[in-house]
Amino acid sequence: MKSLLILGTLNAALAVICGAFGAHGLKARVDSALLETWATASDYHLYHALALLLAGVLARQFGAAGIVTAGWILFAGMVVFSGSLYLLVLTGQRWLGAITPLGGTALIIGWLWLAWALYRAA
């Protein structure tokens, strides 16, 4: 539970740093399509950092191991989804875009797992 809260806060900070880097540091270095890709990565990074905080709070509230599992699935999805997009922009390796949907699928599974865990805990 506490680890999800710590991961959530650290990733929220990292998402803001990445967003600022994209807006200021990459503006003159990559084209507008890649800037949009970076913005998508940092947006989803921040949304799911907040989701980790939510999972941590809910896990404390309900004490359900399934909620913690959902948090870890969300974390894995966030790393793969946003991480693959960040790397795509920084390296220009377009094949990384093929990995991104795996992260998106993990994010969906994480949200559904959280819903199931809450249903079972309530």
Side-chain angles (χ1 to χ4, degrees):
M1 294 176 233
K2 186 176 182 180
S3 59
L4 291 176
L5 295 170
I6 292 168
L7 277 174
T9 57
L10 293 175
N11 274 283
L14 183 57
V16 172
I17 291 166
C18 287
F21 177 69
H24 304 290
L26 290 177
K27 189 182 278 187
R29 298 172 196 256
V30 300
D31 65 32
S32 62
L34 287 175
L35 281 177
E36 286 181 37
T37 299
W38 188 275
T40 298
S42 62
D43 287 348
Y44 274 74
H45 191 172
L46 183 58
Y47 301 150
H48 289 88
L50 296 174
L52 293 178
L53 290 170
L54 175 65
V57 169
L58 291 172
R60 281 186 184 247
Q61 175 72 29
F62 293 102
I67 295 171
V68 174
T69 301
W72 283 106
I73 295 169
L74 288 166
F75 176 67
M78 178 182 65
V79 168
V80 174
F81 183 87
S82 293
S84 64
L85 291 178
Y86 289 143
L87 287 172
L88 185 152
V89 173
L90 292 174
T91 67
Q93 299 295 314
R94 298 282 186 191
W95 65 268
L96 288 163
I99 296 171
T100 306
L102 297 174
T105 300
L107 292 174
I108 293 166
I109 291 168
W111 282 110
L112 293 173
W113 197 296
L114 180 60
W116 180 249
L118 287 169
Y119 172 77
R120 304 249 320 152

